[in-house]
Amino acid sequence: MSTDKIAPSLQPPQHTGEKGSEKGPNSTTAYRPPTSDESFVSDDAAAAVEVIESGPPPSELPFSKGRCIALVATVTGASFLNTLSGQAVVIILPTIGRDLGIPDSRLQWIVSAYSLAFGCFLLLWGRIADIFGKRKIFIWGSAWVAVTTVINPFLPNEIAFDLFRALQGLGAAANVPTAIGILGTTFPPGKAKNYAFSCYSAGAPLGAVFGNLIAGFIAQYASWKWVFGVIALMAAAITVAAIAIIPPPKHTLHQEGATVKASVDWLGAVLVTVGLLALLFGLTEGNVVGWSTPWIPVLIVVSIILVVLFVLWQRHLEKTGLRAPLMKVSVFRNPQFSAAMLIMALFFSSFNGWLVFATYFFQDYQGLNALQTTLRFIPTGVSGVITAFVVSQLLSRVPTFVLLGVGNFCVSLSALLFAIPIPSDTIYWAFAFPAMVLSVFGADTAWPCLILFTSHALPQEDQAIGGGLVNAMGQVGRAIGLAVATAIQTAVMARERGVSVQEVGAVKEWEEASLLGLRAANWWHFALGICSMSLVLLAFRGSGVLGGKPAVRGSDRVEEQPAAVVETTGEKTAERRGDEKV
């Protein structure tokens, strides 16, 4: 890459007084904290130096320390609650099925209904948040989750129960991507932003862990309905905290005249929503009705066609400028950004899949009750908190590819420990305990790198969309990975039992066929982790340190930033400067 495009050793710009720099190099500008819809992240390194040299150096914290901590805790609650809501239900599925009369073959829809709605509406809610303001959509999304969750356990039949689970996922699709957008546009690059994203990143894996813990204790000592009550109380607390703590934006596109009808790409929204819904539905149902059922492959092919049409339509909108696209296809021209999205899908599939099958191993194969299973996940919570703190310190010191590589390696190793033929009656501390620690250590190391990279790589106006995109990749990867893992497990169990896949039945306690099926699925999770790690080493090697601070006034050098971030955003400088008044 030529030096005029700002290589990793970034060069200060020449101030020419051109449009796009409202102040001359000798002027001073009073610093004010950013709102939830504004950002210090510049289009390229030159713009970053231009902003900083035109005024006093920005404070590390945009608000008081207490308010910053409260803001990070509030938006992290969205990520935490999202995965907690999914994992907590896994523990109590058998009890729900007995109480509502739901057969085992359809129990998975209690989990899948939430995931489908969440994954399919992420990009649409991200665009709506860019119009009405991230704060407003975050608040309404959290409130919606609270209301629908508190109603859920009182519904008497399967269809209504699954419908409200989907409505909960719809609310989560609104507040999770806006949470990333709020962090990305509130904190300037530096230690504060590293802390913020590390804490937010810890929310997802810890939510899955505490979902097991909370559901296990409640199922043991109270009614399963209280699991939904606790989730609703958490969502309500997040809503109240968001109203009090998240600063309102100075302006929004809606206040400037933009409307949802005119500004949202509704054709694109329909294409991507229906396409992802069909894809996730087909992958989920394939393991229930059998992959040889004619409508399963047809549905998957149709879904892929719809997703391809969505990409082509987004490319057309971006080229012609007829309307703002839901997703700027041009960002995928950068190899590292494309690799980061693929890594997100592979990594989340490996980690989340291992977490699900570890639950199966303890609860279904070893025959442990919900509380006993819960206790075995406690080390993941402890190690997750410690890891979040350590990684926040490392983001500004250790190259990104090292952190990403180590994170993927640890998650792969945790799956390997459950895949190799260790005697199933081996004590917990010999193989399961280290697997628990390694899994969350890996997740809390790799996940903040991925979302911080996404935040740096996209301009301010695309922060919420970026949050939706990275989460959508994780959800799609999870659905595909889990479907394949389940198919592998089922095929191995059917072979060992000498029956067809449709007749294979459930996992049985201490049965050899069941154990071999679980191990085969974890070999798949191990392979996903290794593929993700290999992609990290290929795409991110030499990428530099991602979490460094920008240059301060009077400095003769600019903090090194990854070339990929500069290349992705540098091409947008002229476009953004021309669009700032829109």
Side-chain angles (χ1 to χ4, degrees):
M1 185 173 65
S2 62
T3 56
D4 60 355
K5 287 193 72 176
I6 313 298
S9 297
L10 305 174
Q11 301 175 354
Q14 299 297 322
H15 294 281
T16 60
E18 295 176 353
K19 185 179 178 181
S21 177
E22 296 179 2
K23 300 289 182 182
N26 299 322
S27 64
T28 59
T29 304
Y31 168 72
R32 63 176 176 80
T35 67
S36 61
D37 277 9
E38 297 175 330
S39 176
F40 275 103
V41 181
S42 305
D43 289 295
D44 54 21
V49 177
E50 187 175 351
V51 170
I52 293 169
E53 289 189 350
S54 65
S59 170
E60 177 72 16
L61 296 177
F63 312 110
S64 67
K65 185 175 182 180
R67 186 175 184 182
C68 286
I69 292 174
L71 187 148
V72 172
T74 299
V75 298
T76 298
S79 174
F80 177 86
L81 195 61
N82 173 45
T83 52
L84 183 146
S85 181
Q87 189 63 28
V89 173
V90 173
I91 295 291
I92 58 176
L93 277 180
T95 308
I96 296 176
R98 287 193 300 268
D99 284 3
L100 299 183
I102 303 174
D104 290 346
S105 61
R106 295 203 300 268
L107 272 179
Q108 65 170 334
W109 274 107
I110 297 176
V111 177
S112 299
Y114 179 94
S115 299
L116 285 172
F118 177 77
C120 292
F121 286 92
L122 283 166
L123 292 179
L124 177 60
W125 276 121
R127 178 56 183 160
I128 293 175
D130 288 334
I131 296 173
F132 286 99
K134 301 171 185 64
R135 177 182 182 270
K136 180 179 292 186
I137 300 304
F138 181 90
I139 291 171
W140 280 107
S142 301
W144 181 262
V145 171
V147 172
T148 53
T149 303
V150 79
I151 295 173
N152 215 152
F154 299 102
L155 299 172
N157 61 75
E158 177 185 356
I159 295 177
F161 195 94
D162 291 346
L163 174 62
F164 268 73
R165 281 289 291 166
L167 293 176
Q168 292 165 39
L170 187 65
N175 65 11
V176 169
T178 51
I180 297 178
I182 289 170
L183 291 181
T185 57
T186 298
F187 291 95
K191 288 184 178 180
K193 190 166 190 173
N194 295 343
Y195 278 122
F197 274 95
S198 295
C199 290
Y200 177 85
S201 302
L206 287 180
V209 169
F210 280 92
N212 281 328
L213 299 177
I214 292 172
F217 278 103
I218 292 177
Q220 186 71 21
Y221 298 110
S223 170
W224 61 268
K225 294 182 178 181
W226 277 105
V227 173
F228 290 88
V230 170
I231 295 173
L233 289 173
M234 290 182 179
I238 292 171
T239 304
V240 173
I243 294 172
I245 295 168
I246 299 177
K250 296 296 182 182
H251 68 277
T252 63
L253 293 176
H254 179 66
Q255 293 171 341
E256 296 176 0
T259 63
V260 171
K261 182 177 180 180
S263 302
V264 174
D265 171 25
W266 289 107
L267 177 58
V270 170
L271 287 174
V272 71
T273 300
V274 175
L276 289 179
L277 181 63
L279 176 63
L280 298 180
F281 182 86
L283 293 172
T284 302
E285 279 294 286
N287 288 309
V288 177
V289 300
W291 295 99
S292 59
T293 304
W295 61 267
I296 291 291
V298 171
L299 187 63
I300 292 176
V301 170
V302 170
S303 70
I304 293 174
I305 292 174
L306 291 175
V307 172
V308 171
L309 289 175
F310 165 74
V311 172
L312 294 176
W313 175 245
Q314 298 306 288
R315 183 180 180 184
H316 172 72
L317 289 182
E318 190 173 0
K319 281 187 173 182
T320 60
L322 296 175
R323 180 174 294 177
L326 284 179
M327 180 184 71
K328 292 183 178 178
V329 181
S330 60
V331 299
F332 289 95
R333 294 174 185 169
N334 183 283
Q336 280 190 341
F337 186 86
S338 299
M341 294 301 102
L342 182 56
I343 290 167
M344 176 61 194
L346 292 170
F347 168 78
F348 199 81
S349 176
S350 177
F351 170 73
N352 191 269
W354 172 82
L355 198 65
V356 170
F357 276 83
T359 305
Y360 292 162
F361 176 80
F362 292 127
Q363 196 164 15
D364 296 336
Y365 174 73
Q366 291 193 338
L368 304 177
N369 62 34
L371 180 59
Q372 291 170 326
T373 301
T374 292
L375 293 176
R376 282 156 175 76
F377 282 90
I378 288 179
T380 55
V382 176
S383 60
V385 172
I386 296 173
T387 302
F389 174 77
V390 173
V391 171
S392 67
Q393 305 292 319
L394 298 179
L395 284 171
S396 60
R397 295 177 173 88
V398 179
T400 304
F401 86 93
V402 174
L403 294 176
L404 277 173
V406 169
N408 280 273
F409 175 76
C410 289
V411 169
S412 303
L413 191 56
S414 66
L416 182 64
L417 287 172
F418 273 68
I420 57 179
I422 297 175
S424 56
D425 57 351
T426 302
I427 62 171
Y428 168 81
W429 303 100
F431 77 101
F433 173 75
M436 292 289 169
V437 174
L438 285 169
S439 66
V440 174
F441 176 81
D444 284 349
T445 301
W447 176 227
C449 294
L450 291 170
I451 62 171
L452 190 60
F453 176 87
T454 303
S455 176
H456 277 293
L458 297 178
Q460 180 271 335
E461 63 267 22
D462 293 332
Q463 289 290 305
I465 286 290
L469 180 60
V470 72
N471 277 281
M473 292 301 297
Q475 286 298 314
V476 171
R478 174 186 180 275
I480 295 175
L482 193 57
V484 174
T486 304
I488 293 172
Q489 176 208 16
T490 305
V492 172
M493 288 171 55
R495 183 195 65 196
E496 295 297 319
R497 293 175 181 174
V499 298
S500 67
V501 172
Q502 287 76 17
E503 300 172 348
V504 69
V507 173
K508 299 179 181 178
E509 292 185 17
W510 300 103
E511 183 201 32
E512 184 67 16
S514 297
L515 178 61
L516 292 175
L518 294 172
R519 284 176 175 171
N522 279 311
W523 276 114
W524 165 249
H525 300 140
F526 171 73
L528 289 173
I530 292 299
C531 288
S532 182
M533 184 180 70
S534 301
L535 191 57
V536 167
L537 298 179
L538 289 173
F540 280 85
R541 186 171 180 83
S543 60
V545 178
L546 181 63
K549 291 176 63 176
V552 296
R553 190 181 181 185
S555 175
D556 293 331
R557 62 184 291 272
V558 179
E559 191 76 20
E560 181 177 329
Q561 296 195 22
V565 175
V566 177
E567 289 179 2
T568 302
T569 57
E571 297 174 356
K572 299 179 179 294
T573 304
E575 176 185 345
R576 283 195 62 207
R577 288 177 177 173
D579 291 344
E580 285 175 353
K581 296 184 179 180
V582 178

